[in-house]
Amino acid sequence: MSILLIGFMGAGKSTVGRLLAEQLAKPFRDLDQLVEEMTQKTIPQLFEEGEAVFREAETKALMAALGKDQVIACGGGIILKEANQALLQAYPQVVYLKGQPDALFRRIQKDEANVRPLATEKTVAEMQEILSPRLPLYQSAASIEVETTGKAPQEIVQEIVERLEL
């Protein structure tokens, strides 16, 4: 059974996901990469066609990924679409990686490997405006919530492993 990681950008979904997959001897899958493979388009190209186009492709990728035994890092906005919310809420192993807004902001600013142009130009207050309406959606979709602020990725992985029903 797959383990899905959700949370805001900068929460550590990809970093923690790779480590968790390694520890559990499961494949790791980044949902955005799967979307690109399935559509043969980049995420920016899909967004140029409209956010709804991207979200529809994301839903199809999520449904395809759920049938496999792997660790999946979902995009930060996956919970914005009702169909995705329903899929996540019905799934037993969804981990919400929760971070404090100022910590998420610092991680995003420092992340040179995964530059997020729209996010790097925002203030903490502007990031909070994006995050606030998503919080209840992340919480309602998750079966496990793990605070990431001030923790090393391996500590987060260990907490997930201890709390999962494997």
Side-chain angles (χ1 to χ4, degrees):
M1 176 178 293
S2 290
I3 299 165
L4 290 88
L5 302 179
I6 63 171
F8 198 63
M9 63 181 110
K13 298 178 298 290
S14 295
T15 301
V16 169
R18 282 185 188 90
L19 292 169
L20 180 62
E22 185 178 307
Q23 182 158 334
L24 299 176
K26 292 180 182 261
F28 171 75
R29 198 69 158 120
D30 184 294
L31 202 62
D32 282 348
Q33 289 177 340
L34 183 56
V35 166
E36 289 182 340
E37 289 170 18
M38 289 176 69
T39 63
Q40 296 296 298
K41 295 179 182 176
T42 66
I43 302 300
Q45 287 171 332
L46 288 167
F47 265 95
E48 283 176 20
E49 296 177 30
E51 185 175 351
V53 172
F54 169 73
R55 295 290 170 212
E56 186 59 33
E58 188 178 49
T59 299
K60 288 177 182 170
L62 177 61
M63 291 187 326
L66 287 177
K68 300 184 174 80
D69 186 23
Q70 58 192 348
V71 175
I72 305 166
C74 297
I78 194 147
I79 43 80
L80 296 175
K81 187 173 178 195
E82 283 187 34
N84 296 341
Q85 292 170 25
L87 286 168
L88 293 168
Q89 288 169 350
Y91 204 75
Q93 297 193 125
V94 178
V95 180
Y96 168 33
L97 298 182
K98 180 181 178 183
Q100 298 305 309
D102 57 336
L104 296 172
F105 182 76
R106 283 193 305 276
R107 287 183 198 155
I108 293 164
Q109 296 292 317
K110 291 179 184 177
D111 189 353
E112 293 176 12
N114 191 10
V115 177
R116 300 166 179 96
L118 296 176
T120 55
E121 298 170 6
K122 297 199 181 307
T123 64
V124 176
E126 289 170 324
M127 294 291 286
Q128 181 66 45
E129 285 178 29
I130 297 169
L131 175 60
S132 289
R134 294 181 183 194
L135 287 174
L137 300 175
Y138 289 134
Q139 291 168 327
S140 69
S143 51
I144 297 172
E145 189 173 310
V146 177
E147 177 61 55
T148 63
T149 305
K151 294 179 184 171
Q154 197 55 53
E155 289 177 89
I156 298 165
V157 167
Q158 194 55 46
E159 185 173 342
I160 293 169
V161 169
E162 289 170 4
R163 295 178 65 191
L164 279 174
E165 295 177 16
L166 300 174

